[in-house]
Amino acid sequence: MNKNKFSLIILLIIFSLCIPGVYAQEFTIPGIELGLTNATEPEDVAMSLQIVFLLTILTLAPGILILMTSFTRVVIVLSFVRQGLATQQMPPNQVIIGLALFITFFVMSPVFSEVNTNAIQPYMNEEISQGEALDNALSPVREFMFKYTREADLAMFISASDTIRPETKDDVPLYVLVPAFVISEIKTAFQIGFLIFIPFLVIDMIVASVLMSMGMMMLPPMMISLPFKILLFVLVDGWHMVVRSLITGF
């Protein structure tokens, strides 16, 4: 008890020595002002509309990143790898999503560069209007999605939307192209996941057969097969093979 009192006294002395020094320093806190004023000039109206447009884009950014890029296929395939290994939460979800994001940035870098060159930079330099910048930005993204969208999926959404059959790719509306692209990517990811599961399934069957032949019915086969699956995955450099296959698939 005396030891606790002595420690408390020491802490009080330290604080009493430090606090005056802190308060002796002069510092200022910057002020922040937010408000709404009446737009009297056309430039003010244009600036307000641009801010609203940018806020809308930022709100839709997660959906655009997930549904209009390679992220869907990548994250599903990486999740299949973890399920095939049966390592529960290893790697964690944060690692899987983070790796999928950076692979997506790597795969989509040519598209993003084209968007920056043809849309963002000319718009920042006031060479094109906001509508032209939006069209120039969507053009390479649409080309990417058309490249990996199956015709059957696209035809299904076109017929379901009760719209006139488009004559060219430019006539396909974005609300038809995006879901067709997403389900095409999901199908491709599940096909890759099936191929990933085959070697792990073979190991599980071999381990289960050996345990049954030895009469070890009560021992879970997954407990025995897990280290063998991890060993096989490490020996063949599985993460390298999976990521390389994902990148070359685009």
Side-chain angles (χ1 to χ4, degrees):
M1 193 70 180
N2 294 332
K3 184 178 180 181
N4 293 334
K5 292 182 179 179
F6 180 74
S7 302
L8 181 60
I9 293 172
I10 295 296
L11 289 175
L12 291 175
I13 293 174
I14 292 174
F15 283 130
S16 64
L17 293 176
C18 294
I19 290 176
V22 173
Y23 281 108
Q25 297 179 358
E26 295 183 358
F27 62 95
T28 58
I29 300 176
I32 299 176
E33 294 183 0
L34 295 175
L36 297 175
T37 58
N38 295 328
T40 57
E41 300 294 334
E43 293 79 5
D44 297 336
V45 177
M47 181 61 67
S48 300
L49 293 177
Q50 290 178 5
I51 293 174
V52 173
F53 176 75
L54 291 176
L55 290 176
T56 304
I57 294 297
L58 291 175
T59 304
L60 298 176
I64 294 174
L65 178 63
I66 294 173
L67 300 179
M68 298 176 65
T69 64
S70 60
F71 180 83
T72 301
R73 184 193 303 187
V74 174
V75 74
I76 291 176
V77 170
L78 295 179
S79 299
F80 272 127
V81 173
R82 185 176 64 181
Q83 292 181 7
L85 287 170
T87 53
Q88 301 300 325
Q89 294 297 322
M90 290 297 159
N93 292 330
Q94 294 86 345
V95 175
I96 294 292
I97 295 175
L99 179 59
L101 282 175
F102 278 97
I103 294 176
T104 300
F105 293 148
F106 181 83
V107 171
M108 300 295 295
S109 58
V111 178
F112 293 157
S113 298
E114 188 174 352
V115 171
N116 181 62
T117 303
N118 298 333
I120 298 178
Q121 293 302 324
Y123 178 72
M124 297 294 293
N125 297 329
E126 299 182 355
E127 298 175 0
I128 58 176
S129 63
Q130 185 174 335
E132 293 175 340
L134 183 60
D135 293 337
N136 294 343
L138 287 177
S139 179
V141 178
R142 286 172 61 91
E143 288 295 328
F144 175 83
M145 289 192 291
F146 271 117
K147 186 177 181 180
Y148 300 103
T149 302
R150 292 180 173 84
E151 294 183 1
D153 298 330
L154 187 60
M156 180 193 68
F157 280 99
I158 291 175
S159 62
S161 61
D162 293 332
T163 57
I164 301 175
R165 182 179 179 87
E167 297 180 358
T168 62
K169 292 181 179 179
D170 296 334
D171 298 332
V172 178
L174 197 62
Y175 68 86
V176 172
L177 177 59
V178 171
F181 169 75
V182 171
I183 64 173
S184 297
E185 287 292 281
I186 292 176
K187 182 177 180 180
T188 303
F190 272 69
Q191 291 173 346
I192 299 173
F194 172 76
L195 298 177
I196 291 174
F197 265 93
I198 290 178
F200 299 134
L201 180 62
V202 171
I203 294 177
D204 288 335
M205 293 177 63
I206 292 174
V207 171
S209 300
V210 171
L211 292 178
M212 290 182 64
S213 63
M214 296 175 63
M216 305 175 67
M217 302 291 187
M218 302 301 295
L219 186 63
M222 297 294 294
M223 184 182 300
I224 306 300
S225 63
L226 177 59
F228 289 101
K229 289 191 288 187
I230 295 176
L231 178 62
L232 174 65
F233 198 71
V234 172
L235 290 178
V236 301
D237 200 359
W239 288 112
H240 174 82
M241 294 177 61
V242 171
V243 174
R244 184 182 63 182
S245 299
L246 286 172
I247 293 174
T248 55
F250 290 101

